[in-house]
Structure formats: structure tokens, C-alpha cells
Amino acid sequence: MKTSIPHIASNTFREAVRDRVLYNLIAFALLLSGAAILVGQISIEIEKLVVINLGLTAVSLFGVVIAIFIGIGLVSKEIEKRTLYTVLSRPVRRWEFIIGKFFGLAGTLTVNTFFMAIGVFAALFYVSHRFVRADALIFVALYFIILEFLIVCSLSLLFSSFSSPLLSAVFAFSLFVIGSFSDDLRNFAGMAHGVSRWLATGAAYLVPNFSAFNVITSIAHEQPVAGQLILQNTLYALFYAAMVLSGAVLIFEHRDLK
Amino acid sequence: MSPELVMPSIEILGLEKTYQVGFWRRRPKQALRPLHLQVEDGEIFGFLGPNGAGKTTTLKLLMGLIFPTSGSARILGREWTDPGVKAQIGFLPEQPYFYDYLTAQELLEYYGQLSGVPGKQRRHRIGQVLHQVGLRDVQGLQLRKFSKGMLQRVGIGQAILHDPKLVFFDEPMSGLDPMGRREVRDLMEQLKHEGKTVFFSTHILSDAEALCDRVAIIHKGEVLRVGAVDDLTSSVRGKVEVIWQGTQIPASIKALGAECHVTAEMVRAILDEKQQDAAIDALRRDRLRLISVTPVRTSLETYFVEKLRHAETSAGSIAGGV
């Protein structure tokens, strides 16, 4: 039997495009061009630093917001509107539906990031009038941001497979915030004693370690990223997303669609 | 075809569904009692019942949208959970809602892909189905601009797109105007003519009476009766209907205790079967022109209402007894 994953993924992508999700690019473009013009006028030497920091942070935040707001409705909205009935009554297995949705959302975010990246490079060129070799490091930061999106997409899908959109949004945002400060959680675990140490250590390993993906500041300062970190982050993101998606599939496989 | 190769399209073997309700989900609520049902190949089968009887629950179980508490089913000779079965069945849910950002053509394209219909054949079938459900002129319009009736047509289109052997329709006439209902009836008859099996749920009994070879009556999750429409409606209760021309009612017919209804040009009398000859003699004596004498048939609606009332009374007396 042929897989339905590509069809479900492309329909998810089409839905995002038609629901004008990519319109966020306009807001992003306005923000970045405004910032570039502003820093070009008020700062000396640090324009590039500001543009890279602001641009990449905006790419990450815009993407996370989209991943959560689309992701939380991917399954629950289909159940609520009963569009899922005519899909699952066809030769489509439930796991294919979840994986297809995941790839559709990940694809949307990758395309979105691609256009935003063009915006970042354009702003960078506007303030520094040329590109240097170190600017290629921005690609590493963008790659890490996409890896981060894969985890956020999988988490949103997991929550969407059993919870309402509102609760899913709360869970996903909470995990994103906690995950962004996971280094602090690990430090706390190191300092704690007894049961709280065990609990904090467990939580630190359970929540996604988003801080490992944040290399924006070091890249803005033209500091290179170790190849080992790239490999480590790639494996971590793929493993984490796969685990979370397995959980979503497991829940969805046994769920009654009332 | 040899008789041993003819297998029922649907065999439901004790499918049962109980939901756990309440805050702690500990209170059981039986949505469907063990259901045993067989639908033969090539028939139009009506699944009748009032709202909340368990019709949609049964269809959802068969489609794998919800899971049974116990029991199993076979569809087209295979386990109903077999994904391969789904390529050969079509399903129209009740009050369907589709991806409203798609056009009718794009939606059918998507569903055709999911059903595994090859590209060239898919394009041909989409054109054919859009024509069949009367949406060819609006195929490029986004579904968010469609009326309820048009969405129902799209729903029927997607259910038959991949040329399934067996079609499930959940309340297919819902939301349609009289013309639309007539078209759906014609379509179902056409599907039957093409050798397909149609299983449809409805609470509109005139549709079932006009279309179905057999029906099942379900009430509160329990099947009360399964049978051919003719068998259910032919229970003549010893009454005949005598119609004659004119507006005059002979006294001798009144004396027979006939229930008479006078219209502009004829009189319709319902009386006991035993008094049929006496009534005809009376009409001859008074030189009135007899038009017809026919046995009174119970309509499916009457049968249905009586069956439901009987079920309610039985349940009440059992509860009272307890």
C-alpha cells in the first residue's frame, strides 16, 4: 500500500499558505527593515551585531509562534470540524496522518525561514554594504532554528492529539519557555539535594534543551560553532522529535473520534 | 457465480460500544448494544432510527473512527480493521464539513490521492463525479463559498470518487432541498444498478421506503427489527380501502362502520376486509362507479412508530416491574 504522508503533508502546507500564515513575513520584513534603518542611523560599528541578533531572534520567535499556533490545531481542529472522518475512512493509517501533518508544518516553517533568511541577509547587506566569510555562520544559526522548530512542531502535535487547542497552546508555550532556560534548570539540579535534586535532574532531561540551539549571540560576535555541536544538536533534535511524535502516534492510534 | 462465492458485503458480529462518562469517567453509558447484522451484496440497506439511536455510532465503528468495546465485523469478506478494505468503501459522514480553503476539484483530487486512484484515472473520475453531483460549474470555487446543500453534494462526490464497491451514507438527504433529495435517491438507485451495495442511515422514512431493499430499525442502541421493506409494510391489519366516484355515501356502507373521507370527486372508505363484498354490493345497488379496492398496507412510518412505542412500553414495564 502506498503511503499517504506526502499528500497529507502537501495539503497541510497548502492550508497554511491559503490561511495566509506566510503573511507574517510582511510583519517580519517591516520589523527588520525598520530596525536596519534605525541602527544604521544611531550606532557605529555595532549595526551588524544588532541586525544579526534582532534578525535571527525574530526568525526564531516568529517561527515558534507559527509552529505552536498551527501545530495545536492540526489534529484537534480536524476532529472538531470532522474533516478527519473522510480522511481516516480511506486507506490512511493514523500514524501516517500524524507524520504527514508533522512534515507539512515543518515544511511550512522551513519555507517561512527561507524567506526570513533572505530578509536577514538583505538587512545585513544594507548596514554593512558587503558580506564577509564569517557571515556564513548565520546559516548554522538558521539550521539550529529549524531543528528547534522540529521539536516545537512535534510537541504541538503531541498536545493536539489529546488536548484542546487552548490547553495545547499553554502546554507548548510553557515547554518552550522552560526549554529555553534548561541550562538554568540543570544548574539548579546540580546545586539541589535529595529528592529535589532527582526531580530537577529528571525535569532537566525531560524538557527540550532549547538553550543548546541558541548560538545567535556567539555568531553575531563571529565566533565559530564546533562541528561536534552541529552533530550533537542534529541527533538530539531528530531523536527528541521522533520520541515526541511516537507519543503522539501512540495516543492518536487509540483515540475515539467522537 | 457459484453460490459459495457470494458473501455478504457487511457482517457485524456483536459490535458493542460503551463510553465511560462523568468527571472521573467511571459511569458507563452504552451507546450500542451487541449488534448483529448482515447486509447482502448489491442491496440498498436502510439503517433507521430516531436521533441518538446509535446509527452514527455504528457507522463510526465500521469506519474505524471509534473502537468497539467488544465484537467485530467483516466488510467485503475481510476484517473491518484491514486498511485494504478502505480502498473499496466510500463514506459520507453526517453534516459533512470539508477543507474550506480547497476548491471542489482540489478536494476530490486530494481524496483521490488518499484513496490511491492513479493520476490519469483520477482526473477522469473527478470530472465524471463533479458532473454526476451537479457541481461541474462551480468546481473552481472554494468550499467556504458553498451552501449546505452543495457541501452535501461534494460529500457524496468524495464518497463515490474511487468507485467503491460499498458505500456508507450517514443521513445523506440532510440539508438537501426536494430536488436534491430526488437526485440523491436517483444516485443511490444508480449505484445499486452498477452492482454496488449502499448502506445508509436516515430518520426520513419516506426515503427509506422508496429506496431500500431491507431496513433495520435501531432504538437506544438496540436493533428492534431487520427485514425487507415489503415484509414490514405488508402487515395488512384486516382492512381494505374502497374508492368510488362521486360524493355520495350509501347508508348501507355507513352501517358497515366504514371510515369515509370525501374529496371533490371521490369517496375513500376504509372498512373490514370481511365487509368488502357487502360494500361492493351496496355500491352496485346505488349505481355508483367503483374505482378501486386495495388492501390497506401499514406504511413504514406507521410500522416504525409502533415499533418504537412498543419498545418504550416494554422498557417502561420492565423498569416498573423492577
Side-chain angles (χ1 to χ4, degrees), chain B residues 26-47:
Chain B
R26 287 203 178 150
R27 191 157 45 87
K29 186 181 176 238
Q30 203 169 28
L32 190 68
R33 295 182 189 192
L35 172 69
H36 297 270
L37 196 65
Q38 192 161 310
V39 177
E40 302 304 331
D41 188 35
E43 70 176 343
I44 300 184
F45 190 91
F47 203 43

PDB file of all heavy atoms in Angstrom, chain B residues 26-47:
ATOM      1  N   ARG B  26     -16.106   7.089  35.092  1.00  0.00           N
ATOM      2  CA  ARG B  26     -16.338   5.757  35.674  1.00  0.00           C
ATOM      3  C   ARG B  26     -17.764   5.273  35.450  1.00  0.00           C
ATOM      4  O   ARG B  26     -18.092   4.155  35.790  1.00  0.00           O
ATOM      5  CB  ARG B  26     -16.044   5.807  37.174  1.00  0.00           C
ATOM      6  CG  ARG B  26     -14.550   5.903  37.427  1.00  0.00           C
ATOM      7  CD  ARG B  26     -14.212   5.403  38.786  1.00  0.00           C
ATOM      8  NE  ARG B  26     -12.779   5.465  38.983  1.00  0.00           N
ATOM      9  CZ  ARG B  26     -12.196   5.648  40.140  1.00  0.00           C
ATOM     10  NH1 ARG B  26     -12.931   5.767  41.228  1.00  0.00           N
ATOM     11  NH2 ARG B  26     -10.893   5.678  40.249  1.00  0.00           N
ATOM     12  N   ARG B  27     -18.619   6.181  34.916  1.00  0.00           N
ATOM     13  CA  ARG B  27     -20.019   5.814  34.719  1.00  0.00           C
ATOM     14  C   ARG B  27     -20.188   5.312  33.278  1.00  0.00           C
ATOM     15  O   ARG B  27     -19.959   6.070  32.332  1.00  0.00           O
ATOM     16  CB  ARG B  27     -20.894   7.036  34.980  1.00  0.00           C
ATOM     17  CG  ARG B  27     -22.385   6.733  35.075  1.00  0.00           C
ATOM     18  CD  ARG B  27     -23.092   7.830  35.879  1.00  0.00           C
ATOM     19  NE  ARG B  27     -22.679   9.174  35.506  1.00  0.00           N
ATOM     20  CZ  ARG B  27     -23.223   9.885  34.524  1.00  0.00           C
ATOM     21  NH1 ARG B  27     -24.206   9.379  33.823  1.00  0.00           N
ATOM     22  NH2 ARG B  27     -22.807  11.099  34.257  1.00  0.00           N
ATOM     23  N   PRO B  28     -20.538   4.023  33.119  1.00  0.00           N
ATOM     24  CA  PRO B  28     -20.663   3.518  31.747  1.00  0.00           C
ATOM     25  C   PRO B  28     -21.952   3.976  31.065  1.00  0.00           C
ATOM     26  O   PRO B  28     -23.002   4.047  31.712  1.00  0.00           O
ATOM     27  CB  PRO B  28     -20.654   1.998  31.931  1.00  0.00           C
ATOM     28  CG  PRO B  28     -21.093   1.765  33.328  1.00  0.00           C
ATOM     29  CD  PRO B  28     -20.805   2.989  34.130  1.00  0.00           C
ATOM     30  N   LYS B  29     -21.844   4.316  29.794  1.00  0.00           N
ATOM     31  CA  LYS B  29     -23.033   4.671  29.021  1.00  0.00           C
ATOM     32  C   LYS B  29     -22.988   3.859  27.726  1.00  0.00           C
ATOM     33  O   LYS B  29     -22.080   4.017  26.911  1.00  0.00           O
ATOM     34  CB  LYS B  29     -23.029   6.165  28.706  1.00  0.00           C
ATOM     35  CG  LYS B  29     -24.316   6.591  28.035  1.00  0.00           C
ATOM     36  CD  LYS B  29     -24.313   8.056  27.702  1.00  0.00           C
ATOM     37  CE  LYS B  29     -25.589   8.385  26.959  1.00  0.00           C
ATOM     38  NZ  LYS B  29     -25.361   8.961  25.665  1.00  0.00           N
ATOM     39  N   GLN B  30     -23.969   2.976  27.603  1.00  0.00           N
ATOM     40  CA  GLN B  30     -23.957   2.075  26.458  1.00  0.00           C
ATOM     41  C   GLN B  30     -24.559   2.764  25.228  1.00  0.00           C
ATOM     42  O   GLN B  30     -25.746   3.070  25.201  1.00  0.00           O
ATOM     43  CB  GLN B  30     -24.745   0.813  26.793  1.00  0.00           C
ATOM     44  CG  GLN B  30     -24.354  -0.357  25.938  1.00  0.00           C
ATOM     45  CD  GLN B  30     -24.929  -1.664  26.437  1.00  0.00           C
ATOM     46  OE1 GLN B  30     -25.976  -1.684  27.064  1.00  0.00           O
ATOM     47  NE2 GLN B  30     -24.246  -2.753  26.160  1.00  0.00           N
ATOM     48  N   ALA B  31     -23.715   3.035  24.255  1.00  0.00           N
ATOM     49  CA  ALA B  31     -24.186   3.703  23.037  1.00  0.00           C
ATOM     50  C   ALA B  31     -24.705   2.691  22.025  1.00  0.00           C
ATOM     51  O   ALA B  31     -25.581   3.000  21.224  1.00  0.00           O
ATOM     52  CB  ALA B  31     -23.050   4.507  22.413  1.00  0.00           C
ATOM     53  N   LEU B  32     -24.155   1.502  22.075  1.00  0.00           N
ATOM     54  CA  LEU B  32     -24.586   0.455  21.138  1.00  0.00           C
ATOM     55  C   LEU B  32     -24.526  -0.892  21.837  1.00  0.00           C
ATOM     56  O   LEU B  32     -23.468  -1.300  22.324  1.00  0.00           O
ATOM     57  CB  LEU B  32     -23.659   0.452  19.908  1.00  0.00           C
ATOM     58  CG  LEU B  32     -24.105  -0.417  18.748  1.00  0.00           C
ATOM     59  CD1 LEU B  32     -25.366   0.135  18.100  1.00  0.00           C
ATOM     60  CD2 LEU B  32     -23.002  -0.511  17.699  1.00  0.00           C
ATOM     61  N   ARG B  33     -25.677  -1.550  21.897  1.00  0.00           N
ATOM     62  CA  ARG B  33     -25.708  -2.902  22.484  1.00  0.00           C
ATOM     63  C   ARG B  33     -25.196  -3.882  21.429  1.00  0.00           C
ATOM     64  O   ARG B  33     -25.177  -3.546  20.243  1.00  0.00           O
ATOM     65  CB  ARG B  33     -27.135  -3.250  22.888  1.00  0.00           C
ATOM     66  CG  ARG B  33     -27.597  -2.326  23.986  1.00  0.00           C
ATOM     67  CD  ARG B  33     -28.969  -2.663  24.429  1.00  0.00           C
ATOM     68  NE  ARG B  33     -29.434  -1.611  25.315  1.00  0.00           N
ATOM     69  CZ  ARG B  33     -30.514  -1.703  26.052  1.00  0.00           C
ATOM     70  NH1 ARG B  33     -31.256  -2.788  26.011  1.00  0.00           N
ATOM     71  NH2 ARG B  33     -30.862  -0.714  26.829  1.00  0.00           N
ATOM     72  N   PRO B  34     -24.787  -5.083  21.842  1.00  0.00           N
ATOM     73  CA  PRO B  34     -24.201  -6.004  20.852  1.00  0.00           C
ATOM     74  C   PRO B  34     -25.059  -6.097  19.587  1.00  0.00           C
ATOM     75  O   PRO B  34     -26.220  -6.491  19.648  1.00  0.00           O
ATOM     76  CB  PRO B  34     -24.155  -7.327  21.600  1.00  0.00           C
ATOM     77  CG  PRO B  34     -24.022  -6.923  23.024  1.00  0.00           C
ATOM     78  CD  PRO B  34     -24.823  -5.667  23.175  1.00  0.00           C
ATOM     79  N   LEU B  35     -24.468  -5.685  18.489  1.00  0.00           N
ATOM     80  CA  LEU B  35     -25.214  -5.579  17.226  1.00  0.00           C
ATOM     81  C   LEU B  35     -24.807  -6.702  16.281  1.00  0.00           C
ATOM     82  O   LEU B  35     -23.619  -6.901  16.020  1.00  0.00           O
ATOM     83  CB  LEU B  35     -24.914  -4.209  16.591  1.00  0.00           C
ATOM     84  CG  LEU B  35     -25.444  -3.962  15.195  1.00  0.00           C
ATOM     85  CD1 LEU B  35     -26.960  -3.862  15.189  1.00  0.00           C
ATOM     86  CD2 LEU B  35     -24.863  -2.675  14.611  1.00  0.00           C
ATOM     87  N   HIS B  36     -25.800  -7.422  15.812  1.00  0.00           N
ATOM     88  CA  HIS B  36     -25.566  -8.474  14.815  1.00  0.00           C
ATOM     89  C   HIS B  36     -26.368  -8.090  13.576  1.00  0.00           C
ATOM     90  O   HIS B  36     -27.581  -7.886  13.675  1.00  0.00           O
ATOM     91  CB  HIS B  36     -26.031  -9.831  15.335  1.00  0.00           C
ATOM     92  CG  HIS B  36     -25.271 -10.279  16.543  1.00  0.00           C
ATOM     93  ND1 HIS B  36     -24.128 -11.028  16.459  1.00  0.00           N
ATOM     94  CD2 HIS B  36     -25.487 -10.047  17.864  1.00  0.00           C
ATOM     95  CE1 HIS B  36     -23.674 -11.249  17.682  1.00  0.00           C
ATOM     96  NE2 HIS B  36     -24.470 -10.671  18.553  1.00  0.00           N
ATOM     97  N   LEU B  37     -25.691  -7.987  12.467  1.00  0.00           N
ATOM     98  CA  LEU B  37     -26.385  -7.527  11.264  1.00  0.00           C
ATOM     99  C   LEU B  37     -25.647  -8.036  10.027  1.00  0.00           C
ATOM    100  O   LEU B  37     -24.415  -8.148  10.051  1.00  0.00           O
ATOM    101  CB  LEU B  37     -26.375  -5.994  11.264  1.00  0.00           C
ATOM    102  CG  LEU B  37     -27.329  -5.269  10.336  1.00  0.00           C
ATOM    103  CD1 LEU B  37     -28.767  -5.542  10.738  1.00  0.00           C
ATOM    104  CD2 LEU B  37     -27.066  -3.755  10.418  1.00  0.00           C
ATOM    105  N   GLN B  38     -26.403  -8.334   9.015  1.00  0.00           N
ATOM    106  CA  GLN B  38     -25.785  -8.789   7.769  1.00  0.00           C
ATOM    107  C   GLN B  38     -26.396  -8.009   6.606  1.00  0.00           C
ATOM    108  O   GLN B  38     -27.619  -7.930   6.508  1.00  0.00           O
ATOM    109  CB  GLN B  38     -26.038 -10.281   7.610  1.00  0.00           C
ATOM    110  CG  GLN B  38     -25.214 -10.899   6.524  1.00  0.00           C
ATOM    111  CD  GLN B  38     -25.125 -12.412   6.682  1.00  0.00           C
ATOM    112  OE1 GLN B  38     -24.808 -12.915   7.752  1.00  0.00           O
ATOM    113  NE2 GLN B  38     -25.430 -13.119   5.624  1.00  0.00           N
ATOM    114  N   VAL B  39     -25.550  -7.431   5.795  1.00  0.00           N
ATOM    115  CA  VAL B  39     -26.022  -6.692   4.618  1.00  0.00           C
ATOM    116  C   VAL B  39     -25.522  -7.421   3.379  1.00  0.00           C
ATOM    117  O   VAL B  39     -24.322  -7.676   3.244  1.00  0.00           O
ATOM    118  CB  VAL B  39     -25.508  -5.230   4.643  1.00  0.00           C
ATOM    119  CG1 VAL B  39     -25.937  -4.493   3.380  1.00  0.00           C
ATOM    120  CG2 VAL B  39     -26.011  -4.510   5.874  1.00  0.00           C
ATOM    121  N   GLU B  40     -26.464  -7.795   2.527  1.00  0.00           N
ATOM    122  CA  GLU B  40     -26.101  -8.605   1.357  1.00  0.00           C
ATOM    123  C   GLU B  40     -25.498  -7.745   0.262  1.00  0.00           C
ATOM    124  O   GLU B  40     -25.728  -6.539   0.195  1.00  0.00           O
ATOM    125  CB  GLU B  40     -27.339  -9.341   0.819  1.00  0.00           C
ATOM    126  CG  GLU B  40     -28.013 -10.255   1.825  1.00  0.00           C
ATOM    127  CD  GLU B  40     -27.089 -11.311   2.434  1.00  0.00           C
ATOM    128  OE1 GLU B  40     -26.128 -11.723   1.753  1.00  0.00           O
ATOM    129  OE2 GLU B  40     -27.310 -11.702   3.601  1.00  0.00           O
ATOM    130  N   ASP B  41     -24.756  -8.430  -0.593  1.00  0.00           N
ATOM    131  CA  ASP B  41     -24.089  -7.774  -1.703  1.00  0.00           C
ATOM    132  C   ASP B  41     -25.132  -7.181  -2.670  1.00  0.00           C
ATOM    133  O   ASP B  41     -26.105  -7.849  -3.018  1.00  0.00           O
ATOM    134  CB  ASP B  41     -23.240  -8.830  -2.432  1.00  0.00           C
ATOM    135  CG  ASP B  41     -22.368  -8.222  -3.483  1.00  0.00           C
ATOM    136  OD1 ASP B  41     -21.884  -7.098  -3.268  1.00  0.00           O
ATOM    137  OD2 ASP B  41     -22.176  -8.852  -4.539  1.00  0.00           O
ATOM    138  N   GLY B  42     -24.949  -5.938  -3.050  1.00  0.00           N
ATOM    139  CA  GLY B  42     -25.791  -5.317  -4.071  1.00  0.00           C
ATOM    140  C   GLY B  42     -27.123  -4.781  -3.598  1.00  0.00           C
ATOM    141  O   GLY B  42     -27.943  -4.360  -4.409  1.00  0.00           O
ATOM    142  N   GLU B  43     -27.358  -4.766  -2.297  1.00  0.00           N
ATOM    143  CA  GLU B  43     -28.647  -4.239  -1.836  1.00  0.00           C
ATOM    144  C   GLU B  43     -28.517  -2.813  -1.285  1.00  0.00           C
ATOM    145  O   GLU B  43     -27.427  -2.374  -0.920  1.00  0.00           O
ATOM    146  CB  GLU B  43     -29.297  -5.166  -0.800  1.00  0.00           C
ATOM    147  CG  GLU B  43     -28.641  -5.234   0.550  1.00  0.00           C
ATOM    148  CD  GLU B  43     -29.433  -6.104   1.539  1.00  0.00           C
ATOM    149  OE1 GLU B  43     -30.619  -6.387   1.298  1.00  0.00           O
ATOM    150  OE2 GLU B  43     -28.862  -6.482   2.562  1.00  0.00           O
ATOM    151  N   ILE B  44     -29.640  -2.126  -1.251  1.00  0.00           N
ATOM    152  CA  ILE B  44     -29.688  -0.830  -0.570  1.00  0.00           C
ATOM    153  C   ILE B  44     -30.287  -1.110   0.796  1.00  0.00           C
ATOM    154  O   ILE B  44     -31.417  -1.595   0.908  1.00  0.00           O
ATOM    155  CB  ILE B  44     -30.534   0.210  -1.328  1.00  0.00           C
ATOM    156  CG1 ILE B  44     -29.969   0.450  -2.726  1.00  0.00           C
ATOM    157  CG2 ILE B  44     -30.592   1.517  -0.538  1.00  0.00           C
ATOM    158  CD1 ILE B  44     -30.690   1.546  -3.516  1.00  0.00           C
ATOM    159  N   PHE B  45     -29.486  -0.861   1.816  1.00  0.00           N
ATOM    160  CA  PHE B  45     -29.901  -1.213   3.168  1.00  0.00           C
ATOM    161  C   PHE B  45     -30.091   0.071   3.977  1.00  0.00           C
ATOM    162  O   PHE B  45     -29.193   0.906   4.047  1.00  0.00           O
ATOM    163  CB  PHE B  45     -28.827  -2.092   3.815  1.00  0.00           C
ATOM    164  CG  PHE B  45     -29.250  -2.711   5.118  1.00  0.00           C
ATOM    165  CD1 PHE B  45     -29.848  -3.965   5.147  1.00  0.00           C
ATOM    166  CD2 PHE B  45     -29.074  -2.031   6.312  1.00  0.00           C
ATOM    167  CE1 PHE B  45     -30.245  -4.538   6.345  1.00  0.00           C
ATOM    168  CE2 PHE B  45     -29.472  -2.592   7.515  1.00  0.00           C
ATOM    169  CZ  PHE B  45     -30.059  -3.849   7.535  1.00  0.00           C
ATOM    170  N   GLY B  46     -31.252   0.216   4.562  1.00  0.00           N
ATOM    171  CA  GLY B  46     -31.535   1.416   5.361  1.00  0.00           C
ATOM    172  C   GLY B  46     -31.376   1.130   6.845  1.00  0.00           C
ATOM    173  O   GLY B  46     -31.846   0.110   7.342  1.00  0.00           O
ATOM    174  N   PHE B  47     -30.702   2.037   7.510  1.00  0.00           N
ATOM    175  CA  PHE B  47     -30.483   1.897   8.949  1.00  0.00           C
ATOM    176  C   PHE B  47     -31.307   3.008   9.599  1.00  0.00           C
ATOM    177  O   PHE B  47     -30.930   4.178   9.551  1.00  0.00           O
ATOM    178  CB  PHE B  47     -28.985   2.068   9.214  1.00  0.00           C
ATOM    179  CG  PHE B  47     -28.496   1.448  10.481  1.00  0.00           C
ATOM    180  CD1 PHE B  47     -28.920   0.179  10.870  1.00  0.00           C
ATOM    181  CD2 PHE B  47     -27.584   2.115  11.283  1.00  0.00           C
ATOM    182  CE1 PHE B  47     -28.447  -0.404  12.032  1.00  0.00           C
ATOM    183  CE2 PHE B  47     -27.109   1.533  12.435  1.00  0.00           C
ATOM    184  CZ  PHE B  47     -27.545   0.281  12.809  1.00  0.00           C
TER     185      PHE B  47
END
